[in-house]
Amino acid sequence: MKPMSSSSYSHLVDDIPSTPGKFKMMDKSPYSHHRLFKWHSSLTKLTFWSFLFLGLIFFFFLRSPPPPPHHSGADPSSSSSYPRRHLRNYSWGGPTWEKRVRSSARVRSRNGISVLVTGAAGFVGTHVSAALKRRGDGVLGLDNFNDYYDPSLKRARQALLERAGVFIVEGDINDDALLRKLFEVVAFTHVMHLAAQAGVRYAMENPSSYVHSNIAGLVSILEVCKSANPQPAIVWASSSSVYGLNTKVPFSEKDRTDQPASLYAATKKAGEEIAHTYNHIYGLSLTGLRFFTVYGPWGRPDMAYFFFTRDILRGKPISIFEAANHGTVARDFTYIDDIVRGCLSALDTAEKSTGSGGKKKGPAQLRVFNLGNTSPVPVTELVNILERLLKVKAKRHIMKLPRNGDVQFTHANISLAQRELGYKPTTDLQMGLKKFVRWYQRFYAGGKKSSV
C-alpha cells in the first residue's frame, strides 16, 4: 500500500477555503440549506480522508518490508529474512550504564582524543573503533543493529570490540534524548559519523530508510553537536556515489556532483549540502570522506566480492554486469586498512569547531576528500582473482547493467587526500582479497570468529 500522492492531498486541502467567511444564520437563497448540507458532507469527507492519509503515512514509514535474500541469515547464504527495524525502544541510562560509557570513552594516551563512533558495529565502524582504541584514544560506539544484513555478523563485531574495551551503546541516531545524554556524560572532542543506510539497489525497495538514516540521522547528529559546549569536530562518511553520472575520470573533489544515479547517492549529496549549512551557521568543523568501494575482512554481505565468494563456494551462478555494447564495469576497490588510515588522519587533522552552545564565533573548517585506491579493476578480474584464491571455477552469468542506480565505473583522484592527509593506499586487490578470503573461510567454518 502506498501513501496518498501529494496531488491527491492538495485536492483535499483545496476543498477548504483559505480565508473562510462567516456563515449567516439566515440565507434568503432557496439553496442555502442544500449548500449547508453539502458543506457538512464535505467536512465529514475531509476528516475521513485526513485520518486515512495520516494512517497511510504511519503505515508507510513504520512498515517493515523484508530485505533481499542475500542481506540476511545466520550465514551469508541463508534464505531466512529479518523484519526491517527503523525505530525501536532501547534500554539505556542508569549508573552502571554511565560508568561503562565513561570507561569506554576515557582517553588513555597522552595526546589522545575522545571519539563517538556512530555505526560502530558496521564494517568500517568496527575497524575504525578498534584502530582508535589500539592507539589509546577514548572510543564509544553507537549502533542500532538493524537488519539490513545479517545481525549476527554485527553482534560478532560487537563482541570483538567489547574484548578490545569498546562499549557500543545500542540505540538510534535519531533518538535525540539518547544523543543528549551521551554528550552530557562525555565531552567528546570528535565524532566519527559512519552510521548510514548503505546499498544502492535496496533504495528502490525501501526508500524511507535512506531518508531516515542518511538525512534525518545526519541532522540529528549535527544538532546535538552544534548545541554541545565545547562543540566536537566531526568527520563523516559521504560516498563516491555522489559523482553519479559524471563521465570525467578520475573523479576529483572539484567535479560536479549534481547528477546522482540513485537515491542513496542523492541522500549522500544532500548530506554534503547539509554539512555545509551547519558549518556556515554554527561553526561546526566538518570533514566528509567519499569512500570508494571498501572491501576486506568483516565486510558487508551485500557487497559483490562478499556474495561472489559465498556463491562460488556453493557452486551457485554469479551475475556479472556489463555495460552497453559489452562495456566493462569497473570499481576502484579500496582495502579497509587504507580507509581506516584515511579516517584516522582526517580526525587528527580536523580543526576545532568555532561555535559554542549553538552560536558561531568564527569561520570553521569544511573539507571533503576522496578515499580510493586510484586503480579501477574490472569486475571480471575480481572474479578471476576469487577463482584463484578459492580454487573453484565460478559459474558466470553475464547480464546487462540494470537501471537500478549502479554506475559503470568509479575512479578516485586522491591527490587532495595525499597532500592534506598524507593518505597513501598500499594494498592492491590481489592482496586485499587474499586477506578477505582467509577471514571468510575461518569465520564461516564451524562458526569460529577471527580477529580484525
Side-chain angles (χ1 to χ4, degrees):
M1 184 181 295
K2 297 189 295 185
M4 190 178 298
S5 66
S6 58
S7 60
S8 300
Y9 182 66
S10 299
H11 176 71
L12 290 177
V13 173
D14 289 342
D15 285 342
I16 305 176
S18 57
T19 54
K22 296 180 180 179
F23 288 96
K24 297 180 181 178
M25 294 301 295
M26 298 293 293
D27 193 323
K28 297 180 180 180
S29 167
Y31 303 105
S32 60
H33 293 291
H34 178 65
R35 287 202 304 270
L36 188 60
F37 173 78
K38 287 181 64 178
W39 182 82
H40 282 297
S41 178
S42 298
L43 183 61
T44 302
K45 290 180 180 179
L46 177 61
T47 302
F48 170 77
W49 285 111
S50 297
F51 277 111
L52 180 60
F53 175 69
L54 291 173
L56 288 173
I57 292 179
F58 180 83
F59 176 79
F60 177 74
F61 282 104
L62 297 187
R63 70 188 180 93
S64 301
H70 67 262
H71 292 161
S72 58
D75 65 66
S77 62
S78 171
S79 60
S80 62
S81 62
Y82 299 84
R84 172 78 181 153
R85 297 175 301 179
H86 288 308
L87 297 172
R88 205 174 65 171
N89 291 324
Y90 298 94
S91 177
W92 54 269
T96 302
W97 179 86
E98 288 188 20
K99 184 178 180 180
R100 293 192 69 188
V101 167
R102 289 193 182 95
S103 177
S104 184
R106 185 175 298 119
V107 178
R108 303 183 186 279
S109 64
R110 184 175 180 181
N111 298 313
I113 57 178
S114 180
V115 190
L116 172 65
V117 180
T118 69
F123 174 30
V124 178
T126 296
H127 284 271
V128 168
S129 297
L132 288 169
K133 198 67 175 180
R134 279 195 297 267
R135 70 179 198 176
D137 294 319
V139 185
L140 180 71
L142 175 63
D143 205 291
N144 69 355
F145 294 90
N146 69 44
D147 301 329
Y148 169 62
Y149 62 78
D150 183 7
S152 70
L153 176 57
K154 298 180 182 182
R155 293 299 181 183
R157 295 178 186 141
Q158 178 187 29
L160 186 75
L161 290 178
E162 287 279 359
R163 293 194 294 272
V166 177
F167 175 44
I168 299 181
V169 173
E170 188 166 354
D172 196 291
I173 55 175
N174 283 293
D175 187 339
D176 295 334
L178 171 58
L179 292 179
R180 288 195 300 270
K181 184 63 177 179
L182 292 177
F183 275 82
E184 177 186 311
V185 176
V186 178
F188 296 104
T189 61
H190 294 73
V191 171
M192 188 78 210
H193 179 49
L194 299 170
Q197 175 57 62
V200 169
R201 302 170 196 172
Y202 186 53
M204 298 182 70
E205 300 178 39
N206 194 355
S208 62
S209 66
Y210 289 77
V211 176
H212 172 84
S213 297
N214 302 356
I215 297 180
L218 175 61
V219 170
S220 294
I221 292 295
L222 295 178
E223 276 292 302
V224 72
C225 289
K226 64 107 170 175
S227 300
N229 194 7
Q231 294 174 334
I234 304 162
V235 177
W236 71 285
S238 185
S239 170
S240 63
S241 295
V242 299
Y243 291 108
L245 302 178
N246 177 36
T247 57
K248 175 183 171 293
V249 290
F251 299 156
S252 166
E253 292 89 347
K254 296 179 181 179
D255 293 342
R256 63 184 300 180
T257 54
D258 59 351
Q259 297 177 307
S262 66
L263 178 62
Y264 168 71
T267 61
K268 286 298 186 178
K269 172 59 178 176
E272 293 188 357
E273 300 303 320
I274 291 169
H276 178 277
T277 302
Y278 274 78
N279 169 268
H280 173 68
I281 297 177
Y282 302 109
L284 285 176
S285 171
L286 281 151
T287 302
L289 303 176
R290 294 172 178 171
F291 296 153
F292 281 71
T293 317
V294 189
Y295 73 100
W298 297 95
R300 283 177 20 216
D302 65 319
M303 298 290 285
Y305 73 94
F306 200 115
F307 60 77
F308 279 177
T309 299
R310 172 199 68 195
D311 291 342
I312 290 173
L313 286 174
R314 294 184 175 268
K316 294 183 178 180
I318 60 174
S319 297
I320 302 175
F321 296 135
E322 67 175 15
N325 300 318
H326 305 288
T328 299
V329 174
R331 294 288 180 269
D332 198 346
F333 296 100
T334 314
Y335 189 63
I336 183 61
D337 288 358
D338 293 326
I339 290 292
V340 169
R341 282 190 288 270
C343 289
L344 267 58
S345 183
L347 287 168
D348 292 339
T349 59
E351 298 174 359
K352 291 183 178 180
S353 294
T354 62
S356 177
K359 295 183 179 180
K360 180 180 178 180
K361 295 183 177 180
Q365 186 181 54
L366 180 66
R367 308 179 294 175
V368 63
F369 296 106
N370 288 339
L371 293 187
N373 196 46
T374 75
S375 301
V377 177
V379 175
T380 51
E381 179 58 23
L382 166 74
V383 177
N384 292 340
I385 295 173
L386 287 175
E387 286 177 327
R388 292 194 294 270
L389 293 172
L390 298 171
K391 298 179 174 59
V392 178
K393 193 70 175 175
K395 297 177 181 178
R396 306 184 186 210
H397 178 48
I398 307 300
M399 297 178 61
K400 292 294 182 183
L401 187 67
R403 296 180 63 85
N404 59 5
D406 280 320
V407 294
Q408 183 176 348
F409 54 83
T410 58
H411 185 183
N413 177 336
I414 62 169
S415 57
L416 183 62
Q418 287 177 321
R419 184 170 66 251
E420 301 292 330
L421 305 180
Y423 174 73
K424 184 179 180 180
T426 60
T427 307
D428 62 22
L429 188 59
Q430 174 76 33
M431 179 56 67
L433 285 177
K434 183 177 181 180
K435 293 180 179 180
F436 165 73
V437 167
R438 186 187 305 131
W439 167 83
Y440 183 97
Q441 292 177 325
R442 287 205 306 265
F443 186 82
Y444 290 107
K448 295 180 181 178
K449 312 303 180 189
S450 66
S451 61
V452 170

